[in-house]
Amino acid sequence: MIQELEKIKSDFLSEADGKSLDRVALDQLHAKYIGRNGAITQATARLKEIPKDQKPQYGKILNEVKTLVEERLAAIRNALTLHDSATPDIDLTLPERRRFYGHLHPITQTLEEIKSVFAGMGFTVEDGPEVELDYYNFEAVNIPKDHPARDMQDTFFVSDKVVLRTHTTPVQARTMQRKKPPIRMICPGRVYRKDTPDATHMPFFHQVEGLVVDEGVTFADFKATIAAFVHRMFGSDIGTRFRPSYFSFTEPSAEVDISCIFCHGKGCRTCKHSGWIEIMGSGMVNPILFDYAQYEKDRYSGYAFGMGIERIAMFMYNVNDLRLFSENDLRFLEQF
Ligand code: DAH
C-alpha cells in the first residue's frame, strides 16, 4: 500500500518536473492526481481499508504526497499566469487599427498660403491685439466719431474706449507708429462684428491686412503686386480688375475683383453671372494716416489692402456656408 503511494509520487514527478506545461496539460495532471477520480483521491478513499497499525504511516505519507502534488500544481499555475500577463495574446493577423491624424484647419491652410505668397514678395508679418483701443480701430484710421461704422450695430464695445477690433486695419496704425518707412507688411488676424450668424455672416472671422509705405510707391506698384498674388494664389490665367470704391483710410480706394475661378469669366452661380468675384478692399494710403504716424507726408506714399480669409477659403474650396468653418464638425473638417 505504501509502495503504491511512492509510485504515485514518482509518476507525478516524472510527469510534472522539468517539463514546460501548458494549461491543458496542467488541467490533465490535476484531474489525473487530485480530481474526483484522481490517484490521490482514490488512495485517500482506500484509507479505511488500511490495517489499523499501518494507518498512521499510510496517512502521513499520503498527506506528504498530496501536499507535494498540490503545491507543484499551484506553482505551475502561477508561473503560467505570470507568463500570460507578461505576453498578452497578440493576433498578428488582425488588420491595423485606423489612426486619426490631425491636420490644419482650412482657414489656417488658406492663411498659410496667403502668407507664403506675400513672404515671397518681401512682406513681413505683423501682429496686433484683438481687444483694441477705439483710437486705433477708428480714430487713427480716419473713422471719425460720428461715422456709421462705429454704430453699436456693428461693433462690440468693451468700454467707452475699448472695442473688439472690427477689422485688421488698426495694425496699420500701430505698425506705422512703431516703425519708420520702408514698411512692407501683412497682418493676419481675427476680427469681430455684431452680426447674427448665417451663411454669409459671422460675429467673428479673419482678415489679412496689407500695407506698403515707402518713397515713390504708386498705384501701379499695387496693381502689379496684387496681380502677382492672384496668379500665385489662384492660377496664372486669373485676371484682376480694380473698381473705384470708398474707405476712409485710403484715397483713392478700390475694390479688387478677380475673374471667376469656377467659370473663368463665362458667368456662373458663384460669380452671380458677372464673371467676376470681389476679393478685397484697397487703395492708396490716405495721407491723413501719415499725420497720425508723424511721417513726412510729401516724402512718403503707400498702398493698403484688406481681405477676408473665410471668403477666399470659400472660393478656393467651394464652400457655401461661412458657419461651417467654426462649427468644428469633423465630417466637414476631414475633407481638407
Ligand atoms: N478694413 C476694411 C474692412 O474691414 C478692409 C480694407 C479695405 C482694408 C481697404 C484696407 C483697405 O487696408 O485699404 O472691410
Side-chain angles (χ1 to χ4, degrees), residues 12-254:
F12 174 77
L13 288 177
S14 72
E15 278 181 287
D17 256 16
K19 303 253 164 69
S20 69
L21 299 169
D22 60 14
R23 280 188 187 278
V24 178
L26 179 69
D27 289 342
Q28 280 168 359
L29 271 187
H30 188 99
K32 185 170 174 186
Y33 289 95
I34 48 180
R36 202 134 50 91
N37 292 314
I40 291 174
T41 318
Q42 286 174 10
T44 311
R46 274 199 297 278
L47 192 59
K48 55 180 182 297
E49 300 159 17
I50 305 290
K52 226 180 178 165
D53 58 330
Q54 287 176 30
K55 257 192 193 165
Q57 203 199 351
Y58 183 89
K60 184 172 171 255
I61 296 176
L62 177 63
N63 265 340
E64 278 169 17
V65 176
K66 193 177 174 193
T67 309
L68 172 97
V69 170
E70 282 173 351
E71 281 177 3
R72 272 310 152 84
L73 292 179
I76 295 168
R77 198 173 295 280
N78 275 345
L80 278 175
T81 308
L82 268 182
H83 177 78
D84 282 357
S85 56
T87 52
D89 291 342
I90 298 174
D91 184 351
L92 293 172
T93 65
L94 282 175
E96 189 191 6
R97 207 170 283 161
R98 196 176 150 209
R99 288 168 201 227
F100 293 92
Y101 292 105
H103 63 75
L104 295 177
H105 190 280
I107 293 301
T108 310
Q109 288 184 37
T110 308
L111 173 58
E112 289 302 318
E113 232 176 297
I114 296 173
K115 274 207 266 194
S116 103
V117 172
F118 280 109
M121 296 193 278
F123 283 70
T124 60
V125 178
E126 303 291 336
D127 200 9
E130 290 177 25
V131 181
E132 183 56 285
L133 290 174
D134 179 291
Y135 174 79
Y136 290 112
N137 196 76
F138 296 126
E139 199 84 29
V141 295
N142 192 35
I143 302 176
K145 277 266 182 291
D146 51 3
H147 196 282
R150 289 186 171 217
D151 200 298
M152 288 297 266
Q153 298 260 316
D154 302 315
T155 309
F156 286 111
F157 284 88
V158 175
S159 72
D160 264 5
K161 294 204 166 89
V162 180
V163 301
L164 297 186
R165 69 179 175 193
T166 57
H167 51 180
T168 42
T169 308
V171 186
Q172 286 189 29
R174 285 181 173 274
T175 306
M176 285 195 279
Q177 197 177 59
R178 232 174 349 105
K179 290 183 176 172
K180 292 283 155 228
I183 284 174
R184 200 172 174 78
M185 69 90 167
I186 56 166
C187 161
R190 186 175 271 210
V191 301
Y192 301 83
R193 288 194 197 163
K194 241 183 167 181
D195 268 323
T196 307
D198 65 25
T200 52
H201 294 87
M202 278 297 285
F204 57 85
F205 55 98
H206 299 79
Q207 289 189 332
V208 178
E209 192 78 16
L211 175 69
V212 170
V213 183
D214 202 350
E215 292 178 16
V217 175
T218 67
F219 201 87
D221 296 325
F222 172 57
K223 286 177 77 172
T225 304
I226 289 308
F229 164 71
V230 167
H231 291 159
R232 288 269 318 269
M233 196 75 190
F234 300 102
S236 51
D237 54 338
I238 299 299
T240 320
R241 115 182 148 173
F242 299 79
R243 265 182 303 117
S245 184
Y246 171 79
F247 297 102
S248 61
F249 27 89
T250 44
E251 183 57 40
S253 303

